[in-house]
């Protein structure tokens, strides 16, 4: 009854692998079209079934606004293959600056986020969607810093990852 999609943010949307998976999911809807609320959609293949979808994504960008196209893609996809009413995006956990979670010493500082993730999961199962209060917690940035400082921190992680990749490349030669 609940499908959870997880993908890193690539060029403001899904990875190629997730896109291929989504293309294959078209069979969840009938291939015929119906007209719903001024747009065509696929009627649900199993009209007796309703699904909630949850979207989880991570990006190097610190701002949540970078996930807008990704979230809209899943909203529109759910609407189109569910005849407008049988599939809904029940909530999203979209975190920028996810690399910060690789710093084990900082993990206790983000317990509020992990608690909100657990609560969101319970809410989707029990109520069919993430409560607005829980969503607000999930949407909080990991660090309360001015934008210029957030960019500096992100660049630190980019430089660190680039160095690791270069060292791996040199070791393989």
């Amino acid at each position: 009854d609940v499908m959870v999609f997880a993908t890193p943010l690539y060029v403001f949307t899904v990875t190629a692998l997730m896109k291929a998976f989504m293309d294959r999911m078209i069979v969840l809807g009938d291939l015929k079209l119906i007209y719903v609320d001024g747009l065509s959609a696929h009627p649900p293949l199993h009209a007796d079934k309703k699904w909630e979808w949850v979207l989880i994504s991570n990006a190097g960008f610190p701002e949540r606004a970078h996930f807008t196209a990704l979230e809209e893609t899943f909203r529109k996809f759910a609407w189109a293959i569910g005849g407008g009413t049988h599939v809904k995006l029940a909530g999203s956990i979209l975190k920028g600056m996810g690399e910060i979670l690789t710093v084990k010493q900082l993990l206790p500082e983000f317990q509020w986020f992990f608690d909100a993730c657990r609560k969101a999961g319970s809410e989707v199962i029990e109520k069919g969607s993430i409560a607005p209060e829980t969503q607000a917690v999930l949407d909080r940035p990991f660090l309360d810093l001015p934008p210029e400082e957030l960019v500096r921190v992100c660049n630190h992680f980019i430089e660190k990852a680039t160095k690791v990749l270069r060292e791996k490349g040199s070791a393989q030669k």
Side-chain angles (χ1 to χ4, degrees):
D1 293 341
V2 176
M3 290 187 73
V4 178
F5 296 86
T7 181
L9 188 72
Y10 277 23
V11 192
F12 307 102
T13 189
V14 298
T15 63
L17 188 60
M18 178 61 79
K19 175 63 170 81
F21 177 68
M22 292 168 71
D23 289 344
R24 301 262 183 208
M25 287 182 60
I26 198 69
V27 298
L28 291 178
D30 190 313
L31 294 181
K32 293 179 232 150
L33 294 175
I34 58 174
Y35 202 62
V36 180
D37 298 331
L39 291 172
S40 55
H42 296 282
L45 192 56
H46 305 283
D48 60 324
K49 194 110 172 115
K50 292 200 181 233
W51 292 313
E52 277 89 30
W53 287 1
V54 175
L55 173 60
I56 300 173
S57 186
N58 175 44
F61 293 113
E63 302 89 3
R64 190 186 189 288
H66 288 285
F67 294 97
T68 304
L70 175 71
E71 197 167 29
E72 184 59 22
T73 295
F74 275 88
R75 268 201 185 89
K76 189 64 87 178
F77 184 46
W79 183 89
I81 69 167
T85 60
H86 283 68
V87 180
K88 77 170 183 178
L89 187 58
S92 301
I93 300 173
L94 308 172
K95 289 311 281 182
M97 234 176 134
E99 293 88 353
I100 201 157
L101 295 177
T102 64
V103 182
K104 291 182 181 180
Q105 306 90 303
L106 292 177
L107 291 180
E109 299 297 320
F110 306 124
Q111 190 59 48
W112 59 268
F113 173 69
F114 301 123
D115 292 343
C117 287
R118 283 185 199 88
K119 188 172 183 184
S122 295
E123 290 171 353
V124 168
I125 297 301
E126 294 168 10
K127 301 173 187 167
S129 64
I130 298 173
E133 309 80 45
T134 305
Q135 190 66 59
V137 173
L138 292 169
D139 291 345
R140 277 181 33 207
F142 281 130
L143 301 175
D144 185 21
L145 296 172
E148 299 80 14
E149 188 63 18
L150 285 174
V151 166
R152 190 188 69 70
V153 172
C154 289
N155 283 337
H156 165 77
F157 283 102
I158 291 168
E159 290 165 12
K160 184 177 167 185
T162 303
K163 181 180 176 188
V164 168
L165 289 173
R166 282 191 190 120
E167 289 170 358
K168 280 185 182 179
S170 295
Q172 292 177 354
K173 288 182 183 179

